[in-house]
Amino acid sequence: PVAPSKLSEYALLESKRICIIMTTYNVVDYVSIAMDSVLTQTYQNLEIIVVDDNSNDGTTDLLLKKYATNPPNASTVVPTVQIIHLTHNTNGGAGQPSNIGMESCSNYTDYVMFADGDDYIENDAVESMLAHAFRFKTDVVMADFDVVETLDDGSMSSTPSYDFQHWDELPSDIPFNVITHPRLLRTSPVPWRKLYKRKMLLQYNVKFPEGDYFYEDNGFHWLILTVAARCSKIDRVLFHHRRARKGQTSYNFHHSSSSERMSIEWVQQYTNMAKLGGYFPNAHNVGLKLFPETLESNHDSLKCLPSVAPMYVAKTFVQWLKASQWIGKKQLSRQMSDKFLRRLDQLSNHWALQKDVLVPNDYWTSLNESTVNVEQHVLRKGIDLSIVMPTMNVGDMIYDLLKDMYSKLTIPDFTFEVFAIDDGSSDGTADILRDFADDHKGNFYFLSTMKSNGAGKARNVAIPLIEGRYVYFVDADDAYDFSALVEAVNYATREKHDILVFPYNIEYIGPNKDDIKKMEMMKADARIWDELRKVPESEKNQNLLKKSALALINYPWKQLTSSKVMKDADVFFGPTQVHNDVQFHWLSIATSHNLHFYDKVVCAHRKYDSAVRGQLTEVKDNKRMSVFPSLGMTQRALARNGAFNNDFVFNEWRKFCKNLFGWAKSRIPKESTDLYKKRTNHFLSMMESNTTDPRKDLVTWPYWGERFVPIQK
């Protein structure tokens, strides 16, 4: 018979509610195995939340048809399943869907776990981890995993976890943390091998970063283990991680003919650059939270870690950065390899200079020895300007633009770099850029996306790689005064402005390309500039300047932006093909600290006759429905960064949303007008809600205009 004390202990254990968050994207062949392994757990007091990132292979339909049940309540013991279907693919990897899952856990949740939609777990995994948490009174429980792969003959192979050298150093019979065992931080950062106490997640507001990059689990891993006072280890494989599944790049390469591999090698080159570039913003995010005094913002969510953390964690953090040089060696071109290694040096150098970081005596020597191919004056002075330019079918104008750009920017005491990202051109643009890159290997980077996803996603590819003090976004079909741009960069540097806002001109290009009608700014923007010019300089405070800037057109070429602002607030463009610049415009301006209106024209924005060139601003089809995910994602980013703490930002945002809905209405196809009206009313009603605060509430807010909740059986 079981002793009474044990009976009460078992009852307490079984009363604990565990929320398992599964993220899915195009895993229709594997998600049933993953779900069944969760649903058949020996521990059944589970709440399962599946966040599908707009799969297009049938994953969503399978989940809704087979697994959706009623929402959980306090008395429910049988596992409940909620399916959240995001109506537009998010930026980056699984960071944003994972956060949405955490925010959607019920109030009854005691512990949180994560699961991948193509992996599977042992049927006693939850019970074993919860028992371990009780035994050692731990905040985080970790278990071992293996890597499984389907071979050509259909059989399965299994290999040990790839972090065994660090894993084996952790004790399994006593609790530990980053102070007693700093090597804990060097274990694999995957989130799905751990059980987390939810109270700790909420107390320290630990979430995944949400920029347009991968390896977002690195940031979550470092932060959660830093705040965990007690961790414990189960030295047994409970999780099975699937690798080289059908649909993944590694699978496609190994299961293709030799004639196909050249194309796949190009895809691998792009993947190595785009995905591994996520290391840089992740490391920056971790550094900001380890050293919050380096952040100019004052909102609490970015100052969550204990003040003791840097003393014990920072050395390991800097060593991890230095040990990450493999991401540079994975690059297939020498130019990109040098770029990656240089960025790593800059990051580790920066954080190693912060207080309380104890680095080895030979650290600085080793840093200098690892410095890569770049002129010494650039290393010493840094790069003044990064230009990011997406291109698509601009073969008739791109060479002249680049020639003018380089002739005006290549001057003494000014350094710059250019990223040209071709987004699916079919007119020879890519060939022109490739040739130009061959002739300018020192500071010109030619990138090419795997498929066209719009200018915003193309720009985002380059953002993690920028080294310039300031960033300027160029549209390849506009005209620019690059000499004025140099003056603006020098002025911003001297005055320590983090954003300069420019006036602009407009050029209307008729059916005959020589027929050019030149005008000043759009009337609404011209009024804003005129009003500001009347205000005495002494009265131009930041609130007034930011409010004025937020009301301007969203185009990115109207401003010069500090790379620090972009890194600190994770500023990216939205993932939609149209309205993708809304997120950049609002987040960069709302989180800036020293914005200035600089009264010199840099850009002449060109509007083309439809017979000459099509432009997205004239699109009148269902692409316009992406106004909802665009605004939803932007509102989420603003709320996460505390931008709505300023009332005027929220008021301007509300006004902007209403105006944009009105503007886009006439550009919606007739067959979609009823749905458009329904979503518009829902969006605006949530903004005026008396029961939720859209400035802070990320749970009930309709993420991309519509949130799918459980279907009643």
Side-chain angles (χ1 to χ4, degrees), residues 186 318-326:
R186 300 296 296 278
V318 172
Q319 289 175 334
W320 168 69
L321 286 174
K322 185 167 175 56
S324 297
Q325 291 191 356
W326 66 272

Side-chain angles (χ1 to χ4, degrees), residues 462-473:
I463 287 175
L465 306 179
I466 57 177
E467 296 180 66
R469 187 177 298 107
Y470 290 93
V471 189
Y472 187 65
F473 294 95

Side-chain angles (χ1 to χ4, degrees), residues 74-360:
S75 61
T76 303
V77 174
V78 177
T80 63
V81 180
Q82 294 188 67
I83 311 296
I84 298 174
H85 172 224
L86 306 182
T87 58
H88 196 287
N89 193 234
T90 60
N91 267 335
Q96 199 165 111
S98 296
N99 286 340
I100 290 172
M102 281 196 287
E103 293 152 7
S104 302
C105 290
S106 69
N107 293 332
Y108 320 116
T109 299
D110 298 293
Y111 291 89
V112 172
M113 288 179 61
F114 294 94
D116 273 4
D118 55 352
D119 294 344
Y120 58 99
I121 64 179
E122 291 292 311
N123 71 336
D124 65 338
V126 175
E127 182 179 2
S128 299
M129 298 187 83
L130 184 58
H132 221 259
F134 268 63
R135 177 187 175 191
F136 292 104
K137 297 180 173 60
T138 48
D139 301 310
V140 176
V141 180
M142 306 171 65
D144 202 2
F145 68 93
D146 64 3
V147 179
V148 296
E149 183 174 353
T150 304
L151 303 179
D152 290 338
D153 61 4
S155 63
M156 299 289 291
S157 70
S158 171
T159 55
S161 58
Y162 39 77
D163 65 346
F164 62 87
Q165 70 273 28
H166 303 301
W167 177 257
D168 290 345
E169 292 187 11
L170 301 177
S172 57
D173 56 346
I174 57 172
F176 50 87
N177 57 30
V178 296
I179 298 175
T180 63
H181 291 76
R183 298 282 281 189
L184 167 64
L185 291 164
R186 300 296 296 278
T187 58
S188 173
V190 294
W192 38 256
R193 72 183 311 179
K194 305 179 182 83
L195 176 75
Y196 309 90
K197 185 178 289 185
R198 190 184 186 219
K199 181 179 179 181
M200 175 188 60
L201 292 170
L202 295 175
Q203 178 183 353
Y204 293 108
N205 195 27
V206 179
K207 295 183 179 181
F208 291 84
E210 293 193 6
D212 193 0
Y213 46 81
F214 293 86
Y215 290 94
E216 67 285 337
D217 46 8
N218 274 328
F220 185 81
H221 166 86
W222 277 83
L223 299 177
I224 197 65
L225 293 182
T226 298
V227 300
R230 295 170 69 89
C231 302
S232 61
K233 162 187 166 181
I234 299 178
D235 202 8
R236 174 182 156 220
V237 172
L238 296 180
F239 299 86
H240 304 284
H241 177 54
R242 197 182 299 273
R243 183 174 62 186
R245 64 172 170 83
K246 188 176 181 180
Q248 289 179 323
T249 303
S250 56
Y251 178 94
N252 291 339
F253 182 83
H254 292 295
H255 295 77
S256 60
S257 65
S258 58
S259 62
E260 295 173 317
R261 289 195 178 186
M262 284 186 64
S263 175
I264 294 175
E265 284 176 353
W266 178 86
V267 171
Q268 188 65 57
Q269 180 174 350
Y270 171 83
T271 301
N272 287 345
M273 180 274 300
K275 288 195 172 182
L276 292 176
Y279 261 65
F280 305 129
N282 270 300
H284 188 79
N285 281 326
V286 173
L288 286 179
K289 294 196 177 186
L290 292 180
F291 309 100
E293 64 272 13
T294 65
L295 190 67
E296 293 181 47
S297 175
N298 60 4
H299 65 93
D300 293 337
S301 64
L302 291 176
K303 296 187 176 182
C304 63
L305 301 191
S307 59
V308 72
M311 187 182 305
Y312 297 100
V313 179
K315 176 181 176 180
T316 305
F317 175 58
V318 172
Q319 289 175 334
W320 168 69
L321 286 174
K322 185 167 175 56
S324 297
Q325 291 191 356
W326 66 272
I327 69 172
K329 296 173 183 176
K330 287 278 287 185
Q331 303 306 309
L332 300 187
S333 75
R334 175 63 186 273
Q335 183 195 34
M336 194 56 69
S337 177
D338 287 351
K339 160 71 75 174
F340 270 64
L341 293 176
R342 195 162 62 246
R343 288 284 288 117
L344 280 172
D345 272 354
Q346 291 164 352
L347 276 169
S348 53
N349 194 337
H350 173 75
W351 296 118
L353 286 171
Q354 306 305 317
K355 69 177 184 179
D356 297 328
V357 182
L358 306 175
V359 296

Side-chain angles (χ1 to χ4, degrees), residues 483-504:
S483 295
L485 181 60
V486 171
E487 293 177 14
V489 172
N490 290 334
Y491 177 82
T493 302
R494 185 169 63 252
E495 300 298 325
K496 298 182 180 179
H497 294 301
D498 49 27
I499 288 183
L500 288 188
V501 180
F502 305 130
Y504 59 91

Side-chain angles (χ1 to χ4, degrees), residues 56-67:
N56 54 28
D57 69 340
T59 297
T60 311
D61 293 337
L62 186 153
L63 287 167
L64 290 171
K65 181 178 180 180
K66 189 175 180 181
Y67 296 108

Side-chain angles (χ1 to χ4, degrees), residues 469-473 488-489 491-493 495-502 529 542 545-546 549-550 552 556-566 569 571 584-598:
R469 187 177 298 107
Y470 290 93
V471 189
Y472 187 65
F473 294 95
V489 172
Y491 177 82
T493 302
E495 300 298 325
K496 298 182 180 179
H497 294 301
D498 49 27
I499 288 183
L500 288 188
V501 180
F502 305 130
W529 273 90
Q542 281 300 299
L545 293 173
K546 289 166 74 169
L550 288 172
L552 292 169
W557 38 254
K558 64 154 187 343
Q559 68 186 66
L560 178 72
T561 310
S562 160
S563 59
K564 185 179 186 305
V565 165
M566 296 190 63
V571 178
F584 168 80
H585 168 87
W586 277 86
L587 193 55
S588 63
I589 292 172
T591 59
S592 65
H593 305 285
N594 190 6
L595 180 145
H596 180 72
F597 276 66
Y598 183 77

